[in-house]
Amino acid sequence: MDSRKLKMVRRKRMRQVRSQKMAKRSASLATLLLSSWGGGYPAAVHSLSPSSRGQRYIPRVGEIIGGRHSSFTAGSSSSTTALPCQLLGMNAAHPTSFSFSFRGFARRGGITDVHSDGWGLAFYEGRGLRTFHDSASASESVVARMVEEYPVKTVNMLAHIRYATAGEVCLENVHPFQREMWGIIWCFAHNGDVPLFKSKLKTAHAWIGDVPGERVYSPVGDTDSEAIFCALLNALKAKFETLPSLP
């Protein structure tokens, strides 16, 4: 083989190696995204405020309360899951549209997955929070179709599709939940079971802070998710009179 043909063979081989590396890198990224979206973090609590711009969300040990994993095969139209609910979040440095991502996410609410017991979405516009909720499945909801076409960009968005394990299928049990504290509107979505907060007797819910205080916030619905959200806010409000600064 002459030197010219040898160079051509080598170049072809280098292109093949580069292509294989890119394919592996893309597959690893897809696996990471599907893992974090479809259950890689069991029972991850995700809360947002208008000021959390451009910060990467990584669940800490204290946020993993307990839950079950799900599996999803890339390229398939359905998934097998033991995970009660699924979450979609976006946190960007600059205002970004979420329509494309939400469109695919909504299909998981009854078409490509079983999470058909309601859905909700919240996103910030300045200091205000715009929310959409429906107890119908996201794949069939007229409100969801409207949101998919909603021409808006934001830096913080949080969506949730529900598979009911605690509480009835009704509007008051649909995530994300929202409350005002320290002049800030906080929204919260959660997946997993919290046995200490499953009691329908709301006064029986555990106090989780190390500082005693008043139960200013109470759940409207009967999910353990909203109950733990209110418990977290009550504990923070008892310990801090104003918004604490980060260390």
Side-chain angles (χ1 to χ4, degrees), residues 22-247:
M22 291 179 65
K24 288 181 180 179
R25 192 175 301 171
S26 298
S28 298
L29 178 60
T31 301
L32 174 62
L33 291 173
L34 290 171
S35 175
S36 61
W37 184 13
Y41 299 123
V45 176
H46 196 168
S47 61
L48 287 176
S49 74
S51 60
S52 55
R53 175 180 297 193
Q55 299 173 358
R56 185 181 178 185
Y57 171 63
I58 303 175
R60 296 184 176 88
V61 175
E63 294 175 313
I64 300 177
I65 301 175
R68 300 183 294 275
H69 289 274
S70 71
S71 61
F72 183 86
T73 303
S76 69
S77 60
S78 63
S79 68
T80 57
T81 180
L83 195 69
C85 305
Q86 292 189 356
L87 297 88
L88 171 67
M90 185 189 75
N91 183 225
H94 304 285
T96 305
S97 173
F98 56 80
S99 298
F100 178 79
S101 298
F102 178 71
R103 188 175 293 111
F105 184 65
R107 286 178 56 82
R108 299 177 70 85
I111 295 179
T112 60
D113 217 324
V114 297
H115 305 79
S116 57
D117 296 327
W119 67 276
L121 180 144
F123 62 90
Y124 285 92
E125 293 184 9
R127 290 180 293 175
L129 182 68
R130 192 179 295 273
T131 61
F132 299 89
H133 294 83
D134 197 344
S135 57
S137 64
S139 61
E140 298 179 352
S141 171
V142 177
V143 181
R145 301 293 78 75
M146 179 188 71
V147 173
E148 289 175 9
E149 304 301 326
Y150 198 87
V152 69
K153 294 182 178 181
T154 183
V155 295
N156 282 314
M157 181 277 292
L158 182 59
H160 182 279
I161 49 177
R162 186 172 182 237
Y163 184 83
T165 59
E168 298 179 2
V169 178
C170 53
L171 192 62
E172 59 265 33
N173 288 334
V174 176
H175 308 218
F177 305 105
Q178 61 174 305
R179 296 291 192 279
E180 180 277 332
M181 182 171 67
W182 303 319
I184 300 171
I185 304 175
W186 301 83
C187 70
F188 176 96
H190 164 259
N191 169 59
D193 295 325
V194 190
L196 284 175
F197 292 86
K198 278 187 172 293
S199 173
K200 291 187 177 181
L201 183 62
K202 299 175 183 179
T203 56
H205 293 157
W207 181 269
I208 63 173
D210 56 1
V211 176
E214 184 181 355
R215 295 179 187 269
V216 177
Y217 301 96
S218 298
V220 176
D222 53 2
T223 66
D224 52 350
S225 298
E226 188 184 18
I228 188 65
F229 178 39
C230 292
L232 288 168
L233 293 178
N234 284 328
L236 288 168
K237 193 172 184 65
K239 190 164 186 175
F240 304 102
E241 292 184 2
T242 59
L243 178 67
S245 60
L246 295 175

